[in-house]
Amino acid sequence: MPEPPPGTVTIGVDVGTTGLKAVALDERARLVAEHAVRYPTRLAGTAAEQDAEVWWAAARTALSRVTAASGTRVTGVAVTGQAPTLVAVDRRGDPLGPALTWIDRRAMAEAREIGDLLGPVRNGPDPFFGTAKLLWWTRHRPAEIGRAAAVLHANGFLVGRLTGARTLDTSGACLMQGWDDGWPAALERHGVPVGLLPEAVPSLALVGEVTGEAAARTGLPAGTPVAAGGIDALGSALEAGLLAPGDPLAEMTGFSTVSMLAVPRGTHVPGLLHTRHCVDGVDLVLTAQVSSGAVVDWVRDLTGGAAELLESAPLLARPRPGRLLAVPSFAGERTPTWDARARGAVIGLDLATDARDLLLAVFEGTAFALRADLDLLERAGHPVPSVTCTGGGARSEAWLRIKADVLDRPIRVPVTGHGAAAGAAMMAGLATGVWSAPGELRDLTAATARTYRPDPARAALYAARFGLFQRLRETLPPLAGPLLPPPPDLGDHQ
C-alpha cells in the first residue's frame, strides 16, 4: 500500500444523540486528538427534539480543541450524525425551530398514510423515517415549514455551517421512506415537501470548503475540503473495517444500539433498515434498538448516579442470568417489531433487588433484543458468526461478556474504537485522497484490542431465558398501550 502524505490529519465530526465528538486521525488512521461535548434532548412521551444551534456550539468547541491539539496540516473534514434527524432552515441556514430527532415518533399516522400511498418499499411505514416527519411538520407546524428554504439532516446542517452548502448524502436519503435514487411523484402530490431536501450525493463527494467565517470560529484552516459524510452507522461501519459483503457484523452502542452488515447493493431483508455504504456496489442492512444505552443511563440516574455502579467486576461476580428480566424498549422500538408505542418492563422485582440487579437485567435485555435481530438476519440467509463492537458500550467488559454469552458468538473490540467520528475522519481521508480506496483501510482497522468468547454453560442458560424474553416482549403492547398518555405538544414553533 503506498504511503499517504506524511504530516497530515483528517478530521471527523459526529453529531450524536447525547453529544458531539470531533476526532483527528493521522495518515495511518491513528488517533491524534479527540474532544466530546454533551448536550440535552427535549423528551416528552413520543416527542424528542434538539436545538441545532447547540450542535454548532458544540462543534465550535470540539473542533477548536482538536485542531489546536493536532498541530499538523488538515487535509479534509467530514461529518456523520444521528439519523434521520431533521431541521428546517431559512435562506441563511439558520434553524426555524427545533430539530425533530430520529427518536421522535409523533408521525405515526403520517407513516401509515405514506405506507398506504407507496405500497411496499425497502424501509417501511414507521415514524422513525424522515418522510413521515416531513408530512407531520406540514400539518402541525405549517408556518415553520412554510418559511423553510431547506430541510437538512443533522450532518448536513453542520456541513452547511462549515461551507455554506446545502447537502444530503445518500446514506441519509435512504432513511427517508420512499427514496430510491429519487422520489416517487406521488409524495409531492400528497403534500409531502420532499422538494425542500437537497439532491442526494454520495458520502465521499466533496461538497465545499471551510469558509473564512467557519475557520475563525472552529480553528479549521479556511479552504479545507469538506465531504458530504453520512449517517453515524456508516461512520461506525468504516471504523470497524466493515467494507464488503462477508465482513463481520459491526455493532455500535450509544444512546441506542445499531448493528450493520455489508450486503450487495439492493439487498432487502424485511423488517430491517437499509442504507448505502460509501463503497461502490455495497449497501448496509441495519438492525436497531431505540434506547439501550439510554436505559443504562436511566438505571444509573435512578439509583443515584454513582460511577461505581458501572464497574464490571462486581457485576460479573453475580450469578448469570440475573434475577430479573427486562425489556428495554423505553422509547418505542425499531427492529424487528417496529412498534412506536412499545414500552419497557422489568419483572422479578422483590425487596432484595438492588441497583446492580437492575443494571444486569438491562445489559441482558439489550443483548436479548440484539439476538432477536441477528436471528432474523440469519433466517434471511445472512450468517453472523461473530460481532465487532464499537461505541460507548464497548468500554464495558461486563456488557461485552454478557453479549458474548447471550449471542453465543465471539465479540471483538477493535483497537480503533473511537466511534462514528473516527469513521467520519476516514471518509474525509477517502474523499481527499489520503487513502485511494476503501480497501486500504482494512489493514489499518484490523487490529483487535480484546476478544470475548461465549461460555458454553452460560450460553445454554441464556438460550432458555431468551424464550422468556420473547414471550414478555410479545405480551407487553396490549398491557402498556392503555397506560400511554396522548402525544404531547412541546410548544408552538410557528
Side-chain angles (χ1 to χ4, degrees):
M1 183 173 66
E3 284 293 317
T8 63
V9 298
T10 56
I11 289 181
V13 179
D14 180 61
V15 191
T17 303
T18 58
L20 178 144
K21 187 175 185 179
V23 163
L25 301 181
D26 70 9
E27 62 271 14
R28 303 296 299 175
R30 296 170 298 205
L31 182 69
V32 175
E34 63 180 336
H35 189 79
V37 179
R38 292 182 66 86
Y39 43 66
T41 301
R42 193 179 178 197
L43 297 166
T46 55
E49 299 177 347
Q50 289 183 348
D51 182 350
E53 290 290 2
V54 172
W55 302 339
W56 177 231
R60 296 197 308 268
T61 298
L63 286 168
S64 296
R65 298 285 184 87
V66 166
T67 53
S70 297
T72 50
R73 185 166 61 90
V74 179
T75 59
V77 179
V79 184
T80 57
Q82 50 173 306
T85 288
L86 305 177
V87 59
V89 299
D90 63 17
R91 295 185 185 281
R92 297 175 301 177
D94 294 332
L96 291 165
L100 302 184
T101 74
W102 62 271
I103 314 166
D104 194 298
R105 312 301 288 273
R106 285 174 287 184
M108 286 184 279
E110 288 78 9
R112 289 192 295 268
E113 192 176 321
I114 292 169
D116 291 341
L117 178 71
L118 298 181
V121 292
R122 282 212 301 167
N123 287 323
D126 190 89
F128 162 77
F129 296 110
T131 314
K133 290 178 169 62
L134 284 177
L135 186 55
W136 182 91
W137 234 324
T138 67
R139 293 173 175 174
H140 295 268
R141 295 176 182 170
E144 182 179 304
I145 204 73
R147 299 197 308 273
V151 172
L152 304 176
H153 283 243
N155 68 311
F157 175 79
L158 278 196
V159 169
R161 283 294 169 93
L162 292 173
T163 67
R166 295 175 188 159
T167 63
L168 170 65
D169 68 272
T170 52
S171 71
C174 283
L175 298 187
M176 306 292 291
Q177 182 185 353
W179 186 89
D180 190 3
D181 285 326
W183 293 104
L187 284 174
E188 284 208 271
R189 288 199 300 266
H190 195 70
V192 183
V194 294
L196 289 173
L197 295 160
E199 184 177 352
V201 298
S203 292
L204 301 185
L206 291 174
V207 294
E209 298 179 344
V210 175
T211 65
E213 180 182 355
R217 307 195 75 180
T218 64
L220 290 168
T224 301
V226 179
I231 65 173
D232 52 2
L234 176 53
S236 291
L238 268 185
E239 190 203 25
L242 181 58
L243 302 171
D247 285 342
L249 177 137
E251 181 242 28
M252 168 186 70
T253 299
F255 182 101
S256 62
T257 288
V258 176
S259 67
M260 303 139 274
L261 188 69
V263 294
R265 179 65 50 84
T267 297
H268 181 209
V269 181
L272 300 186
L273 293 90
H274 308 81
T275 191
R276 293 279 174 86
H277 206 304
C278 63
V279 179
D280 290 340
V282 180
D283 280 352
L284 293 172
V285 171
L286 311 180
T287 79
Q289 290 81 57
V290 171
S291 54
S292 47
V295 181
V296 173
D297 289 342
W298 170 80
V299 172
R300 185 174 58 183
D301 293 344
L302 188 71
T303 56
E308 56 267 23
L309 176 65
L310 298 181
E311 292 175 358
S312 290
L315 206 61
L316 292 172
R318 299 201 166 194
R320 291 188 283 124
R323 302 170 57 238
L324 310 178
L325 179 61
V327 172
S329 303
F330 280 33
E333 198 49 276
R334 292 183 284 180
T335 63
T337 59
W338 290 108
D339 185 354
R341 292 175 71 80
R343 289 299 179 267
V346 181
I347 62 171
L349 296 164
D350 59 32
L351 294 176
T353 299
D354 65 14
R356 285 200 171 94
D357 289 328
L358 197 56
L359 181 62
L360 179 58
V362 167
F363 279 172
E364 291 174 340
T366 58
F368 285 138
L370 180 58
R371 175 169 175 161
D373 281 327
L374 300 195
D375 286 354
L376 192 159
L377 272 172
E378 294 211 318
R379 289 195 300 272
H382 300 281
V384 184
S386 64
V387 176
T388 299
C389 285
T390 67
R395 293 194 291 268
S396 170
E397 178 186 354
W399 209 349
L400 294 168
R401 289 195 181 279
I402 289 166
K403 285 178 184 177
D405 292 338
V406 169
L407 302 178
D408 198 15
R409 294 169 171 89
I411 300 292
R412 168 185 171 264
V413 180
V415 168
T416 46
H418 305 297
M426 292 174 184
M427 287 187 215
L430 288 168
T432 57
V434 174
W435 304 292
S436 59
E440 291 186 18
L441 293 172
R442 191 176 297 282
D443 290 341
L444 301 179
T445 59
T448 297
R450 303 179 304 284
T451 299
Y452 300 94
R453 301 190 182 280
D455 176 90
R458 284 203 183 96
L461 293 172
Y462 276 124
R465 181 67 65 88
F466 177 62
L468 294 176
F469 171 84
Q470 293 283 68
R471 286 168 55 193
L472 178 59
R473 185 154 71 168
E474 291 165 3
T475 302
L476 279 176
L479 298 177
L483 303 176
L484 295 177
D489 182 359
L490 289 186
D492 185 3
H493 300 285
Q494 304 297 314

